[in-house]
DNA sequence: GGAGATACTGTTCATTTAGACAGTATGCCA
DNA sequence: TGGCATACTGTCTAAATGAACAGTATCTCC
């Protein structure tokens, strides 16, 4: 793929910026305005060359429809938007989106799963799962409504609060275990509500 | 915010789907086509009501410029695209984007930092940083070209391969330490190339 | 110095598109 | 039964827009 000239790169950058910021592709007139061109055809000519070099897809006739093809874009995957809940109330299934405290946006390739409407995220509080290398402040992505396998990490509702535990089957009986010697070992999972199964984790550097 | 009718929600969903898949907002004619309307004004009427209810922003006169305002969108932040390198060659700064093996897309709020052109990602190999709860297979986001503080995790080029280590200052002298008793303790960091400083981590559930 | 590419100005034209007007059918609620 | 909102069909218009044509200046490379 041949390289773009400085001007051409500037135009590609501007289109990308606008698409990210506004969610709308700029028209040729708007591009001309931004660069101070008095003729829209200057933009036209640039776009023709950029398209010829393969950095813009074909969208003949359509308006505000420039499809950028950047090197990273070729690797880019669909981005999922997962709601973050502070703590999950009992009546969870009904009113979800309204109570979201935030939103994690991450591509599904990195996430490793295709999110469903039952996918949600929690911020980890405490170090009860430090043995599984899940730290205080981590954001965990969970899947609601699936049956956990033995050894998987789950979020369970204990004392009206979501807590992460390892789910274990011991002679057919489900148990929950905290991965930290400071916490009691096995909790019968008979009447506990499993809110979600661990799927992914995101951690920010401290500080 | 009043609720949308079923049809109105279908239209909002379709617009969102198209914007995510194509990167381009559908025109009224395309929406009419998709739903089998013989009149574009059916779409027009729906959009008017959706806008009135506050689920679409004002973009008068602009074409293909419907701005969706979904509940999650209100929390949504700018998504950064970070290249993944398998291993970082010595001539790093020059040719970056070309050699990317993949791309992590994640919103900057969750990531915790605003990415720069020097931000990149690596997949962790081995368990040399298990003491800092960084596991084999994790994806770490690093910042290139910044000076690490003592105690921060860094990627260093050792034997032509990137390895994660803890960066330490011992009486003014920089050292690298592996966070696993199996590995040698302190390595003088005099002539080592620090490729990046740890900023964030993403982990997928095993299996 | 000349050829060719880039980087524009200025203009015209056909198409796409949003927005408005007029009218019909259907279901719901009082 | 009447009123009202939703959910459409059908038509028209003006503005936004992409695309094309003609022409100029500058730069690099040969």
């Amino acid at each position: 793929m041949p390289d773009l000239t400085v001007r051409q790169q500037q135009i590609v950058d501007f289109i990308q910026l606008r698409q990210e910021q506004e969610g709308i592709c700029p028209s040729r007139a708007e591009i001309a305005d931004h660069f101070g061109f008095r003729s829209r055809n200057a933009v036209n000519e640039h776009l023709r060359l950029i398209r010829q070099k393969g950095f813009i897809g074909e969208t003949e006739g359509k308006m505000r429809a420039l499809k950028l093809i950047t090197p990273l874009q070729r690797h880019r995957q669909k981005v999922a938007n997962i709601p973050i809940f502070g703590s999950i109330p009992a009546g969870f299934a009904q009113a979800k989106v309204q109570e979201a405290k935030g939103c994690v946006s991450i591509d599904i390739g990195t996430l490793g799963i295709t999110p469903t409407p039952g996918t949600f995220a929690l911020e980890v509080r405490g170090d009860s799962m430090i043995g599984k290398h899940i730290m205080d402040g981590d954001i965990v992505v969970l899947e609601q409504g699936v049956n956990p396998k033995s050894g998987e990490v789950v979020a369970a509702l204990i004392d009206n609060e979501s807590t992460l535990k390892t789910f274990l089957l011991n002679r057919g009986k489900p148990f929950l275990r905290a991965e930290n010697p400071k916490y009691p070992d096995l909790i019968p999972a008979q009447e506990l509500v499993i809110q979600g199964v661990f799927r992914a984790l995101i951690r920010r550097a401290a500080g």
Side-chain angles (χ1 to χ4, degrees), chain A:
Chain A
M1 193 138 70
D3 278 348
L4 295 174
T5 66
V6 174
R7 207 38 152 186
Q8 287 164 4
Q9 187 63 53
Q10 284 176 345
I11 289 175
V12 168
D13 289 345
F14 174 68
I15 294 170
Q16 185 169 10
L17 184 76
R18 275 297 192 83
Q19 282 186 345
E20 279 174 3
Q21 284 187 345
E22 310 268 342
I24 299 164
C25 176
S27 68
R28 281 150 168 78
E30 284 170 0
I31 299 173
D33 269 5
H34 176 261
F35 287 97
F37 301 160
R38 312 190 58 174
S39 168
R40 280 171 294 158
N41 193 46
V43 180
N44 234 326
E45 189 67 9
H46 281 129
L47 290 180
R48 197 179 56 79
L49 292 171
I50 295 171
R51 180 168 296 139
Q52 193 177 292
K53 290 181 181 176
F55 289 84
I56 290 181
E58 295 294 335
T59 48
E60 230 178 55
K62 288 187 184 171
M63 296 175 172
R64 293 181 180 274
L66 298 172
K67 266 189 186 175
L68 291 185
I69 305 171
T70 66
L72 268 183
Q73 201 121 26
R74 243 173 278 134
H75 296 290
R76 223 180 264 182
Q77 302 196 43
K78 191 182 166 189
V79 172
N81 297 292
I82 300 166
I84 305 178
F85 299 109
S87 63
I88 309 180
F92 172 47
Q94 295 85 38
K96 271 188 300 191
V97 186
Q98 288 75 5
E99 301 166 18
K101 280 197 171 179
C103 175
V104 177
S105 300
I106 184 170
D107 68 279
I108 58 173
T110 305
L111 188 61
I113 59 162
T114 304
T116 67
T119 307
F120 65 99
L122 284 180
E123 188 169 344
V124 175
R125 280 173 297 189
D127 53 0
S128 68
M129 292 304 287
I130 201 73
K132 287 259 182 181
H133 306 292
I134 298 173
M135 298 171 72
D136 184 56
D138 288 358
I139 292 169
V140 288
V141 176
L142 302 146
E143 180 73 33
Q144 181 215 18
V146 295
N147 284 325
K149 296 169 196 160
S150 186
E152 284 188 326
V153 174
V154 300
L157 194 67
I158 301 174
D159 293 337
N160 215 26
E161 195 169 314
S162 286
T163 320
L164 288 182
K165 295 271 184 278
T166 301
F167 180 85
L168 290 173
L169 283 175
N170 200 342
R171 276 166 298 189
K173 281 187 187 172
F175 286 91
L176 298 180
R177 185 177 68 194
E179 298 286 350
N180 189 328
K182 286 194 294 184
Y183 293 82
D185 236 16
L186 285 175
I187 303 170
Q190 301 292 59
E191 289 128 33
L192 293 175
V193 183
I194 303 293
Q195 298 189 302
V197 179
F198 175 82
R199 288 286 179 256
L201 177 152
I202 299 161
R203 180 184 304 157
R204 289 164 255 192

